[in-house]
Amino acid sequence: MLKIARFTFGAWIFVEVLSWAKILPLTLEFTWLGLILTASLAWGALEVISWRLRKVGARNLWAWTFFATLISQCTDAFGDILRLYGTFSWYDQVAHLVGGAVVALILYDLFTALHEAQRIQLGQKFRGFVSILGSMAIGSLYELEEYGEDVIFGSNRLGSALDTGNDMLLNTIGAVCLILIIVWVRRRKQMQ
């Protein structure tokens, strides 16, 4: 399953690069560069984290962490390509909810792999809490990336101050909800 996720990530980034170069006829609301950077950084982060985990004797990230990240990237890209962001005001909110949840999942998976390999000793609740905080920080960096695109390309990815605050809130809600679900599921499994 991990190979399928990796292949799909690579294929999707290839499509984005071809579209950016105007070889493919796909157009979008914002910028191809933003999509390419986001997808490349997300995939690159997963690969670097997995490599470092193996290097310290821990397991890889879960395959479903890769798939969830890919789904998050596709949610953003299809929203842009199909112009869902401009058509439905709620679509941006869904994308940020999903994005915040996926970042928290990546971080939780990382901390859990290190904990299982006895590289760090963090309780499950604390791993969840730190994952939420990390997701909030990465969400803030994403908003800064949108701002940078607007300054450089004259686009309007950042939106208004109200939109930025709403995006950050939804990133946090997504992270909190996912961590609560993970902790609940893992506790239920331990009780069985």
Side-chain angles (χ1 to χ4, degrees), residues 66-191:
F66 275 79
F67 277 111
T69 306
L70 180 59
I71 289 167
S72 177
Q73 295 304 306
C74 288
T75 300
D76 184 31
F78 287 126
D80 213 349
I81 293 166
L82 300 174
R83 295 181 173 48
L84 299 174
Y85 285 112
T87 306
F88 303 105
S89 60
W90 53 263
Y91 193 84
D92 183 54
Q93 296 172 346
V94 169
H96 280 280
L97 197 70
V98 170
V102 168
V103 171
L105 171 64
I106 294 166
L107 294 171
Y108 185 85
D109 190 3
L110 166 65
F111 296 139
T112 300
L114 291 171
H115 178 80
E116 290 168 352
Q118 298 185 0
R119 293 304 209 168
I120 60 171
Q121 295 302 313
L122 298 175
Q124 185 166 253
K125 287 180 187 175
F126 192 70
R127 278 179 276 157
F129 179 69
V130 172
S131 298
I132 292 167
L133 292 179
S135 180
M136 292 169 67
I138 291 170
S140 297
L141 290 174
Y142 183 83
E143 293 300 315
L144 290 173
E145 184 276 330
E146 285 185 345
Y147 172 75
E149 274 189 71
D150 287 352
V151 169
I152 294 168
F153 298 110
S155 59
N156 187 29
R157 286 202 64 199
L158 187 62
S160 67
L162 185 60
D163 178 65
T164 301
N166 189 52
D167 291 350
M168 293 171 75
L169 175 65
L170 288 163
N171 285 341
T172 303
I173 291 171
V176 169
C177 289
L178 186 87
I179 293 301
L180 289 174
I181 291 168
I182 289 173
V183 169
W184 181 77
V185 167
R186 289 177 65 90
R187 280 209 174 149
R188 299 256 319 159
K189 282 186 177 181
Q190 288 173 351
M191 290 200 281

